[in-house]
Amino acid sequence: MKEKRRFIKEAKKKVKYNIKNRIEDYKTNLVNKFKETFKKASDKGKEEVIKFIDSIGNTSDSEVMKTNLKSSFLSMKYTDYLRLFLLFTNMDVKMKRIADLIQVNMRAFSGSKTFKISECSTYMRIESSVSIKYLFATKPFMPKELRTEDGKRIKFDVTFYKGY
C-alpha cells in the first residue's frame, strides 16, 4: 500500500514537471516567434519608408530647373531654425532682442536715427474685482472689509502695475 502511494506521488511529480517544462518550452518558442515576426515587420517598415523617401528623388518642372524634393523634404527651413533657436534661448535674451527690433523699426518708421527704446517707458495698470461664495471659511472668520454688502460672498479688489 505504501509503495502504491509513493508510486502515485512520484508519478504526480513527473507529470507536473513534464507539464511545467512543456509550458516553458511553448512560452519560449512563442516569445521567439513574436520577436522574429516583429523584427521582420520593423525591417519591412523601415524598407518601405526608405523606398518612399527615395521615390521622391529628383524631379524637374523643366529641362533647366531641377529641384531635389528629397533634400527639401528632409531639411529645415529658416523659420524652423528660428523656432528651434527661440526654444533654447533665455527669456531675458529674447526680450532684449525684441526691444532691439522695436528700436530699429521705430528708427526706420520715424526717420529719427537717435530714437532709443531705453529712454521710453510704458506702464500698465490693471484693476479687478472678484467675489466668490464662501467655500471653506465661514462668514464669522472673514474680515468685514472682505465681505460683500449682503454678507454672502467674499470680495477681492486687486490693482496690479506692470511696466518697463
Side-chain angles (χ1 to χ4, degrees):
M1 196 67 159
K2 283 186 177 183
E3 246 179 73
K4 282 185 180 180
R5 286 185 191 166
R6 191 166 27 125
F7 178 75
I8 292 172
K9 194 175 186 181
E10 285 187 25
K12 283 181 180 179
K13 280 183 182 180
K14 285 181 182 179
V15 168
K16 284 181 182 179
Y17 178 78
N18 287 335
I19 290 173
K20 183 179 176 183
N21 282 342
R22 282 293 188 103
I23 290 173
E24 285 294 322
D25 288 343
Y26 284 129
K27 179 182 169 187
T28 304
N29 288 337
L30 188 63
V31 166
N32 289 337
K33 293 245 185 213
F34 272 120
K35 285 181 180 179
E36 183 180 319
T37 304
F38 285 132
K39 175 81 170 114
K40 285 180 183 176
S42 69
D43 289 344
K44 181 71 173 167
K46 183 179 174 182
E47 288 174 18
E48 291 298 318
V49 169
I50 290 171
K51 281 182 189 176
F52 171 73
I53 292 172
D54 287 340
S55 72
I56 295 172
N58 289 329
T59 62
S60 63
D61 294 335
S62 68
E63 292 285 330
V64 178
M65 184 177 141
K66 289 188 175 184
T67 60
N68 188 341
L69 292 178
K70 183 167 52 173
S71 65
S72 65
F73 177 71
L74 297 175
S75 65
M76 290 175 53
K77 297 179 183 173
Y78 180 69
T79 55
D80 297 328
Y81 284 113
L82 286 178
R83 285 188 185 115
L84 188 63
F85 176 72
L86 287 173
L87 179 67
F88 294 111
T89 303
N90 184 344
M91 181 62 84
D92 291 334
V93 172
K94 283 189 252 186
M95 293 305 288
K96 288 177 182 175
R97 288 188 178 159
I98 290 170
D100 288 342
L101 287 174
I102 291 171
Q103 181 171 297
V104 167
N105 287 335
M106 286 300 293
R107 284 181 179 175
F109 181 74
S110 68
S112 170
K113 301 293 181 195
T114 60
F115 177 83
K116 291 184 180 177
I117 199 164
S118 61
E119 295 174 356
C120 301
S121 55
T122 301
Y123 283 89
M124 186 183 331
R125 177 180 177 200
I126 301 170
E127 292 183 21
S128 67
S129 180
V130 178
S131 70
I132 60 171
K133 291 182 181 179
Y134 292 110
L135 297 174
F136 301 108
T138 58
K139 182 179 173 181
F141 296 106
M142 281 293 140
K144 289 181 182 178
E145 58 271 2
L146 293 180
R147 296 184 204 161
T148 58
E149 290 81 26
D150 62 0
K152 295 181 181 178
R153 298 173 73 84
I154 304 168
K155 182 179 179 184
F156 298 98
D157 293 319
V158 177
T159 304
F160 179 73
Y161 292 93
K162 183 71 177 176
Y164 64 93

